Amino acid sequence: MLKSLTQIALGWLANEDHFETACDVIIDILSFHFFTPEDSDTLANILISPWSMERYKAILSGDTDWDSIQFSRLLVTFAEATVQKLASTLESHHCQALVEMIHGLLTVTGYPNVDDDISGTTFEFWGSWVDYLLSSEPSNKIWISNGKREIKRAIQGYWKKIRMPASDEIAKWSKDQRDGFMTFRKDVADFVDSAYGLLGPTIFEQFVEQIGSALIVDINTQKLVAWEEVEASIFCLNSLSDSLGDEPYEDVFLKKLFGGPLFALLVQVGHEIPLKARTSSVNVIGSYATFFERSPEFLPPALNFLFTCIATPVLAVSASRSISSLCSSCRATLTDELPTFLNQYGLFTAVPSTDDAAKERVLCAISYIIQALPTDDQKIGPLDTLLNHIEVDIQRCVESYHQGRVEEAREAGLMSLRCLVSIGKGLQAPDDLPIDLNGDRKTHPFSFWGEGDGNLLQKKLLNLVQTICNTLVGDGEVIDSACGVFKAGFTEVTPGLFCFSPTVVTEFLLCHAWRTETILATASTFISSHSIDGSLDIRSDVLRLLELVDELVSKLGDPQNEPEVAQSMIEFLSRLLRRYMDVLVVFRPKENIEQLFLFTLNSLSVREPLVKKAAASFWASFLSASDMDESTQTATDEIVNACGPKLAEKLAWGLGGGCQRSEIEIMTEPLRKLVFRQVKAKSWLLAALAKDGISGPNVSVTDKRLFVDKVMSLRGKRSTNQVTKEFWLKSRGTEFAYAS
């Protein structure tokens, strides 16, 4: 039946009145792979018939009405459906003719998705051909070679279609047309990237050669630089950045690209160059940052070009991103250029319209280079210069505030803090830095930065932060950003400008405790950074922060009142368990420690899942704690014995149907630890389940005892999760059984 319908539809193609409907039917049949070999032969003959050639010539002449679009879809869909046959029998007349027609669709006049709706229909076919060739046996050398030739031709056709028009032409387009054209360019980039796996470096070489040819100027013939061709080639090269490795033969082409006249011309001509060409040139530098790390001799012209771009507002962000990428990868080879960088930054910030995001990135980039300097003494001068620049902005913040321009002051203050954070991030040691396993980590507080010459600079940095906070009093976002400055030093393995003494950090946090969630989160990170083996012991500071948390718990009372704050406080307590367990378990007076642990227990039964998860994680970690001295172990055991019955009750309530299904595993974790570590766990659980309202009415006394016996027999094994899940389902009732 379908076969006869297909033949009927094929017969109607030449009928003008029924062409569109026949096209739709055939395209659908092709899409579902219902075509027979006989159908394929019939349609192939139709597509190279005089009737088809007339329609094809109409498309090439600029006729892009709906019938033409339908015809192109039919042509491409058929080619895609028979791509394996086309690839393996390309030398036949039918196949050659069909492939030539599809190549021709890329020569239709107009810009894709603007006034050309034809060329965008061809991606699926060429992509399918690439995939088929990649999966083919290498023995099929002849048609693989032929296929590569056609794929290269297709890339060349797409390359011509993605050339950017003049700015006055783009200005006439609607937003949808602009977006459509850019989408087409992205699709081309994806296709070029996929084709690289088939064609290899030859396609990269092709684009580099095209750039070289487009840059040639001939006075006699009045040939000027073809920037639209340059941009199209660079755009395609950007798409290959993830495909290229670090093979010597690949670097040959990169050296030809970055060692050519491109960047010199970009700097000389400047604003006369189309914006898109400069943008793509900026991006290609960042895309191949690792090449510059291998070949630093090519850095100067690239960086010179980038610094000229950051003065252009629309290029500032992308240029600063590339500068940052280069400086991160090549920091060790750029230390001699540091004075030039500092001078360029001064010129950059002298422009009133300086982009804030670009400013932050350039500061981070310069800090990368400062970090690579061999000694701390050498870092003082450049860092002082950077802080002086930021101090100017902070003075503007203070002056604006006192003159009543509060919002302007706030913007300047926040921007200054973000800049400080950027410097701090840039000064962090790179991840691939060798680690001295025999060295101490933060164990020398009275170092160069603690009492040496660097201490004056660190005090200057602290004063800058405090000036902003004291000016914009009560601004929560300011405190958030200020905490970012301190956190920049928490991850450092060696002392540095941003590695403030624990006392300084603690004083700041306590002074601004009204910004509760941020302060608690920062305090948690602070404690974690000093819980690593070899890090400085900060017990006295931990105690002061714990006293703050105790005070907050007292004020909050029920964790349900402010769930976000409750979660932050419990996470803070969890951070103490790794190294400062003794500070927590011997906290006095006794009623205060009781208050803290009761708060974590009550958090197990709140509605908010994140609070419940934090509390369950705390108790799982607390019950698992080991390697303590005798006094700490004794104090810990006393707390477990005192809290055990209440903890068992909370867990029994949750696993007895009180928690959500998604929280069963979360609540099971502390139960597993309790059963494994505590001999009294069984009696506590039985006593808890005996109380009214702990589990659902569907659970009998026998069910409860059986549940406890199963859990105890498993001794904390992973299979406990299945037991608790079954108990929860039984407690909730049969209507929840589907969830299992």
Side-chain angles (χ1 to χ4, degrees):
M1 182 66 178
L2 182 61
K3 179 179 179 181
S4 60
L5 288 175
T6 303
Q7 289 294 321
I8 292 172
L10 289 170
W12 282 109
L13 280 175
N15 187 299
E16 293 295 330
D17 295 332
H18 300 289
F19 170 75
E20 183 178 336
T21 303
C23 253
D24 285 334
V25 171
I26 294 170
I27 288 172
D28 286 341
I29 295 173
L30 283 167
S31 300
F32 287 105
H33 307 288
F34 289 149
F35 248 46
T36 66
E38 181 185 350
D39 295 333
S40 294
D41 291 341
T42 301
L43 183 54
N45 287 323
I46 291 174
L47 289 175
I48 61 172
S49 68
W51 167 84
S52 178
M53 287 298 131
E54 286 299 318
R55 283 198 168 273
Y56 178 66
K57 289 177 181 178
I59 292 175
L60 297 187
S61 65
D63 182 359
T64 55
D65 60 10
W66 180 244
D67 280 357
S68 295
I69 295 173
Q70 282 288 80
F71 177 78
S72 68
R73 287 182 60 228
L74 176 65
L75 175 62
V76 173
T77 304
F78 175 70
E80 183 186 357
T82 57
V83 67
Q84 296 184 16
K85 181 179 180 181
L86 285 173
S88 57
T89 59
L90 186 58
E91 295 178 351
S92 70
H93 171 68
H94 282 77
C95 292
Q96 281 186 354
L98 285 172
V99 171
E100 285 300 323
M101 290 173 74
I102 297 177
H103 277 305
L105 295 181
L106 293 178
T107 65
V108 174
T109 57
Y111 292 99
N113 295 335
V114 178
D115 46 10
D116 163 23
D117 294 317
I118 302 293
S119 53
T121 64
T122 61
F123 284 115
E124 291 296 329
F125 166 70
W126 292 113
S128 296
W129 199 344
V130 168
D131 292 340
Y132 180 61
L133 292 176
L134 286 172
S135 63
S136 299
E137 292 294 331
S139 57
N140 302 316
K141 291 182 180 180
I142 295 178
W143 52 269
I144 288 180
S145 176
N146 290 338
K148 287 182 178 181
R149 181 190 68 233
E150 301 304 326
I151 300 299
K152 287 186 73 172
R153 283 184 62 195
I155 290 175
Q156 192 69 8
Y158 283 125
W159 172 75
K160 293 178 180 178
K161 296 297 290 186
I162 63 171
R163 296 179 190 177
M164 294 294 297
S167 56
D168 56 346
E169 174 67 23
I170 297 177
K172 300 175 185 177
W173 294 353
S174 66
K175 182 181 184 302
D176 288 343
Q177 289 175 323
R178 289 195 299 272
D179 291 344
F181 181 66
M182 292 305 174
T183 298
F184 180 88
R185 282 169 60 92
K186 290 177 183 177
D187 290 339
V188 170
D190 291 340
F191 173 65
V192 170
D193 185 39
S194 65
Y196 184 82
L198 175 70
L199 301 176
T202 58
I203 188 62
F204 194 93
E205 181 182 16
Q206 177 180 323
F207 290 128
V208 173
E209 293 291 346
Q210 287 173 179
I211 292 172
S213 299
L215 290 173
I216 295 174
V217 177
D218 191 329
I219 299 176
N220 294 326
T221 61
Q222 296 184 337
K223 178 185 177 298
L224 303 178
V225 173
W227 287 112
E228 72 282 357
E229 295 182 12
V230 173
E231 191 280 329
S233 297
I234 292 176
F235 177 81
C236 291
L237 290 177
N238 272 323
S239 70
L240 296 174
S241 60
D242 291 333
S243 299
L244 260 69
D246 55 359
E247 298 296 331
Y249 65 83
E250 293 174 335
D251 276 2
V252 168
F253 306 128
L254 289 170
K255 288 178 180 179
K256 190 170 184 178
L257 171 65
F258 294 120
L262 175 62
F263 297 121
L265 285 171
L266 286 166
V267 172
Q268 290 173 12
V269 183
H271 293 290
E272 297 178 16
I273 301 171
L275 179 61
K276 195 64 181 177
R278 288 188 287 157
T279 302
S280 295
S281 299
V282 166
N283 293 336
V284 79
I285 296 173
S287 297
Y288 293 96
T290 54
F291 163 77
F292 292 100
E293 187 176 2
R294 298 190 300 271
S295 306
E297 65 271 20
F298 294 92
L299 272 171
L303 285 170
N304 187 32
F305 164 63
L306 291 176
F307 271 107
T308 62
C309 288
I310 59 174
T312 304
V314 292
L315 293 174
V317 173
S318 55
S320 62
R321 188 182 293 116
S322 292
I323 290 172
S324 181
S325 179
L326 283 178
C327 291
S328 177
S329 300
C330 312
R331 63 184 74 191
T333 60
L334 288 172
T335 51
D336 290 341
E337 301 296 325
L338 192 53
T340 303
F341 273 69
L342 293 169
N343 182 59
Q344 291 276 17
Y345 179 76
L347 296 173
F348 170 52
T349 55
V351 180
S353 59
T354 300
D355 182 89
D356 288 348
K359 196 173 183 179
E360 294 167 35
R361 286 199 185 95
V362 174
L363 281 170
C364 186
I366 296 174
S367 300
Y368 286 141
I369 303 172
I370 296 175
Q371 184 277 325
L373 292 171
T375 67
D376 287 334
D377 282 309
Q378 291 174 290
K379 298 176 183 178
I380 292 294
L383 286 173
D384 189 40
T385 299
L386 293 185
L387 293 186
N388 287 339
H389 282 297
I390 296 177
E391 189 174 20
V392 173
D393 293 327
I394 294 175
Q395 289 173 352
R396 181 165 58 85
C397 163
V398 175
E399 291 172 2
S400 297
Y401 184 83
H402 290 309
Q403 292 172 8
R405 302 194 303 276
V406 178
E407 189 57 34
E408 183 180 323
R410 185 173 182 274
E411 290 178 3
L414 288 171
M415 185 268 295
S416 298
L417 289 170
R418 290 196 301 269
C419 286
L420 291 175
V421 171
S422 295
I423 294 174
K425 289 179 178 178
L427 292 176
Q428 292 171 354
D431 294 335
D432 58 354
L433 194 70
I435 299 175
D436 182 6
L437 298 177
N438 298 316
D440 293 328
R441 186 186 187 278
K442 295 185 179 177
T443 54
H444 304 294
F446 302 112
S447 63
F448 176 85
W449 300 99
E451 284 194 344
D453 295 338
N455 184 244
L456 292 175
L457 193 62
Q458 192 174 79
K459 287 181 178 178
K460 181 176 182 176
L461 170 59
L462 180 61
N463 182 62
L464 294 177
V465 175
Q466 290 174 332
T467 298
I468 298 172
C469 294
N470 293 338
T471 300
L472 302 169
V473 178
D475 191 310
E477 195 173 345
V478 167
I479 301 304
D480 295 347
S481 297
C483 284
V485 176
F486 290 99
K487 287 163 71 174
F490 289 169
T491 59
E492 288 292 70
V493 296
T494 56
L497 175 62
F498 284 75
C499 296
F500 295 96
S501 72
T503 303
V504 169
V505 177
T506 303
E507 289 289 349
F508 179 85
L509 296 177
L510 294 175
C511 184
H512 301 92
W514 55 269
R515 187 67 170 176
T516 311
E517 288 182 56
T518 297
I519 295 302
L520 289 174
T522 306
S524 296
T525 308
F526 173 53
I527 290 172
S528 293
S529 71
H530 287 84
S531 297
I532 302 171
D533 293 340
S535 60
L536 190 66
D537 191 303
I538 58 168
R539 272 173 170 71
S540 59
D541 299 285
V542 170
L543 179 59
R544 295 179 66 191
L545 293 169
L546 182 58
E547 289 170 347
L548 168 65
V549 172
D550 178 61
E551 181 183 340
L552 293 172
V553 167
S554 179
K555 289 180 180 179
L556 183 59
D558 187 348
Q560 190 67 57
N561 292 335
E562 291 189 54
E564 294 83 2
V565 175
Q567 179 187 344
S568 297
M569 289 192 288
I570 296 170
E571 289 174 348
F572 171 86
L573 295 175
S574 295
R575 302 298 177 95
L576 304 182
L577 303 181
R578 177 172 180 178
R579 186 176 185 182
Y580 303 105
M581 184 77 151
D582 57 325
V583 179
L584 176 62
V585 298
V586 300
F587 187 55
R588 293 296 180 267
K590 185 177 180 180
E591 56 268 22
N592 290 41
I593 195 171
E594 290 175 351
Q595 175 181 257
L596 286 174
F597 279 88
L598 181 61
F599 184 82
T600 62
L601 289 169
N602 289 335
S603 297
L604 288 168
S605 56
V606 299
R607 292 189 301 272
E608 281 69 17
L610 292 179
V611 179
K612 199 178 300 179
K613 182 178 180 180
S617 178
F618 168 80
W619 277 105
S621 299
F622 186 79
L623 293 167
S624 304
S626 58
D627 299 327
M628 293 174 277
D629 58 54
E630 185 176 350
S631 60
T632 304
Q633 186 66 64
T634 300
T636 301
D637 292 341
E638 290 177 357
I639 291 172
V640 173
N641 285 326
C643 296
K646 186 74 172 177
L647 174 61
E649 182 180 321
K650 293 291 184 180
L651 296 177
W653 168 84
L655 297 171
C659 71
Q660 297 299 314
R661 179 179 177 275
S662 61
E663 298 169 342
I664 296 174
E665 288 197 17
I666 293 171
M667 297 291 282
T668 302
E669 192 63 22
L671 175 65
R672 291 170 57 194
K673 305 300 181 185
L674 181 68
V675 168
F676 182 74
R677 299 294 294 270
Q678 296 300 319
V679 295
K680 298 179 182 179
K682 183 173 183 177
S683 61
W684 290 341
L685 287 169
L686 288 171
L689 287 168
K691 294 183 178 181
D692 293 336
I694 292 298
S695 58
N698 304 305
V699 180
S700 65
V701 174
T702 302
D703 292 329
K704 295 176 183 179
R705 177 168 288 280
L706 183 60
F707 166 68
V708 174
D709 288 343
K710 285 182 178 179
V711 168
M712 294 304 299
S713 66
L714 289 171
R715 298 290 298 159
K717 293 181 180 177
R718 181 73 181 172
S719 49
T720 303
N721 290 353
Q722 184 60 33
V723 175
T724 56
K725 184 178 180 181
E726 291 171 357
F727 185 69
W728 182 91
L729 286 170
K730 190 172 185 62
S731 298
R732 280 290 185 104
T734 55
E735 65 269 23
F736 289 92
Y738 75 91
S740 61

